[in-house]
Amino acid sequence: MMTSKKFLDNFGRSETLWMYACSRCGECVDVCPVYEKTGDKYTAPGFKIKKMRGLITKKLAPFTGSPSEDYVAKVVKGLYDCTLCGRCWSVCPYNYDLVNLWEKARESAYGNGLGPEPLQQVEEALTAEKNIFKRPHSRRRDWTKGLDVPIGEKADTVYFVGCLMSYRGQLKPAASALATILNTAGERWTILEDEVCCGVPMKFSGATKRLEELMDTNIGAIEDTGARTIVFSCPGCYRMFWQEYSKMFGKRVRMMHEIELIDELAKAGKITFNGKLQEKMTYHDPCELSRLSGIIDEPRNIIADIAKGFVELPNNKFNVACCGGGGLYKSVDTDSSISIAGERIAQAEQVGASILATACPSCIMTLSQAARSRKSEVKVIDFAQAVAQNLSE
Amino acid sequence: MPKETNAPRKKYPPKVAETGTRTIIKGMFQVSLLDSAFHLLMAILLITGLLIDLLGSWLGGWLFWIRQVAHGYLGTLFVIIFILYILKALVSKKMRTVLTATNYVDFLFYIALIITGISIASANAPWITYIPELAEALAPIAAYAPTIHIVGTYVWILFSTIFPGGILHGLATAYLISHLKKRSERGA
């Protein structure tokens, strides 16, 4: 049931104060990929703050009037028409954590029954089958068939595969590539016997009520392996773990994205590259990995070893332009999401790249869909795949 | 595509200790010199104005300096900065997108305070004789200007606090800076 009157009621003091303190400089407006694409003012970060501030003011000073359902609906739509890429935060002169603000606001919207229909379906899927696709939980490990992948063993390193890598056939080569790298390096590793979604889609949609349940399952399964390192292919899972799970794990467990691990293995001489990749290759920095996790130099260190013709995309590294697939935006507005990704593909074409590598399953899915719809010859691949294909014997 | 900016590389999530007075000042300069000058002068004029009105009789010899120099001359500078700021706000789509109706009402208050301020400053000032048109234009409000200037300021403070305008923006910023500083000192 819609309870728009209670929307933002549970907003924290810090978030409220920050919205009042916002300097109205508008720096965040021009850089938003969704606003750039749609032109809808309600998607512009500064405009959203303005409207949410208006809603809170009406709560604090009721004599200023009460907002209409339509007004609230527009604000909520704007909140979900967002990739959570953090570009707005990156340009905020006052360093205001806007990603956190959008997530908190979504939580309030979702908690009051204002979440968009596609995201409610995601929550249902997570509740029923512990994955975002509502595919049977029992088939989560199907991707390992025919591969040398240890499951639920005692190990030093756990590979946390994630929903996209586990269930999307297109990404199977990416997951198996990391398995190959780990085996080549002689790591003592395993995947979990009973891995479930890390919960980041719940955090993104604001459906945080059942988050703990998922987290507890994963924590228990990881502790059973005795591992002290967890490695991720998905930057969403990775950020979820270092931001949320680390509160439970403390410093007992090290969390690494696959790129960090590959960089570390290469530096330790556990893997070597043949440097045979002749094609012109470019790299798209996933927002959650580069801007929000600071992993910027590591992929470039590795690329220098594997590819002869590397070329940078414009709007890269910390200032990377989002592919359009983040923050569950693709579920909310697929066309616009693919259209944003199309621009990234066009940029790859402009720099003359035939391979576009990236290190995020969501980016791969979105970018490759955009490449197909543009009939582009740019091939989108996972970073681990590019590495695995160039490992020395 | 979004324009390339030279945003400095920051660390996510921002830590409380990273957001303090220095961040705010750096941020203002990052937006523009105009933004910094506007905010700085606005704060000085508001504080000195309140000092003159509330503590004037206790200020002794300081009153002259505060009224004439800090409030008067800097007020003149503010007029120029304000005109440029308004022009910038009107021509910048991104600023128009984020400014609220209250901010525009704030601007109207500033205009009223500027006009009455000039009227007060021009009384018995020799420079006014060089601009007879201005003296003529200000003549009808000369008797009421001090009252309008002072009452207008308090009405603006009240208005801009209840409806979130410039004053609440300033108060929230000041609170956050002091609060964050205390939190970071406690090691939070």
Side-chain angles (χ1 to χ4, degrees), chain B residues 64-126:
Chain B
F64 170 80
W65 292 102
I66 292 173
R67 190 165 57 191
Q68 187 98 345
V69 180
H71 202 73
Y73 295 150
L74 290 181
T76 311
L77 184 60
F78 178 77
V79 175
I80 299 161
I81 297 292
F82 175 68
I83 292 166
L84 295 172
Y85 191 82
I86 283 281
L87 288 174
K88 186 191 165 195
L90 293 177
V91 298
S92 160
K93 192 184 168 200
K94 65 183 181 186
M95 274 189 82
R96 289 200 311 272
T97 306
V98 295
L99 287 174
T100 61
T102 310
N103 295 130
Y104 290 108
V105 177
D106 278 346
F107 292 159
L108 294 178
F109 272 106
Y110 302 160
I111 291 168
L113 295 175
I114 284 170
I115 293 170
T116 52
I118 294 172
S119 178
I120 296 164
S122 67
N124 305 317

Side-chain angles (χ1 to χ4, degrees), chain A residues 13-14 17-18 20-27 29-33 35-36 41 44 46-47 50 53 57 61 63-64 87 89-97 99-100 239 242-243 291-292 294 296-297 314-316 318-319 321 343 347, chain B residues 1-15 18-19 23-31 35 39 85 88 92-101 103 162-166 168-173 175-176 179-180 183:
Chain A
R13 188 175 59 169
S14 167
L17 276 166
W18 267 116
Y20 283 123
C22 166
S23 77
R24 289 82 153 162
C25 65
E27 292 294 301
V29 172
D30 283 348
V31 297
C32 173
Y35 177 60
E36 166 83 15
K41 277 196 294 189
F47 191 80
K50 168 169 134 179
R53 195 170 49 224
T57 303
F63 55 88
T64 59
R87 190 75 175 101
W89 161 73
S90 75
V91 296
C92 177
Y94 306 102
N95 206 17
Y96 177 24
D97 188 355
V99 180
N100 178 54
R239 194 160 75 88
W242 71 253
Q243 282 201 322
R291 188 158 38 238
L292 302 181
I296 290 171
D297 298 328
N315 306 98
N316 55 25
F318 184 79
N319 293 324
E343 291 188 16
Q347 289 179 336
Chain B
M1 283 307 296
K3 65 174 182 183
E4 182 73 42
T5 63
N6 296 317
R9 193 167 151 181
K10 312 179 197 176
K11 211 153 185 174
Y12 189 83
K15 291 187 173 59
E18 286 163 13
T19 305
T23 313
I24 303 291
I25 292 169
K26 260 172 65 183
M28 283 199 293
F29 277 99
Q30 195 182 314
V31 175
D35 201 68
H39 282 92
Y85 191 82
K88 186 191 165 195
S92 160
K93 192 184 168 200
K94 65 183 181 186
M95 274 189 82
R96 289 200 311 272
T97 306
V98 295
L99 287 174
T100 61
N103 295 130
I162 296 172
F163 302 91
L168 195 55
H169 152 66
L171 290 173
T173 307
Y175 176 82
L176 271 172
H179 181 70
L180 292 175
R183 271 182 65 186

Side-chain angles (χ1 to χ4, degrees), chain A residues 271-320:
Chain A
I271 51 172
T272 51
F273 309 110
N274 56 29
K276 278 182 187 165
L277 191 65
Q278 299 291 337
E279 289 165 280
K280 207 167 182 181
M281 176 180 163
T282 190
Y283 174 70
H284 166 75
D285 292 271
C287 304
E288 286 197 274
L289 200 60
S290 56
R291 188 158 38 238
L292 302 181
S293 299
I295 299 177
I296 290 171
D297 298 328
E298 293 86 343
R300 287 164 177 84
N301 295 341
I302 303 160
I303 289 168
D305 287 337
I306 63 170
K308 287 203 164 74
F310 174 67
V311 58
E312 284 281 10
L313 282 172
N315 306 98
N316 55 25
K317 300 179 182 174
F318 184 79
N319 293 324
V320 63

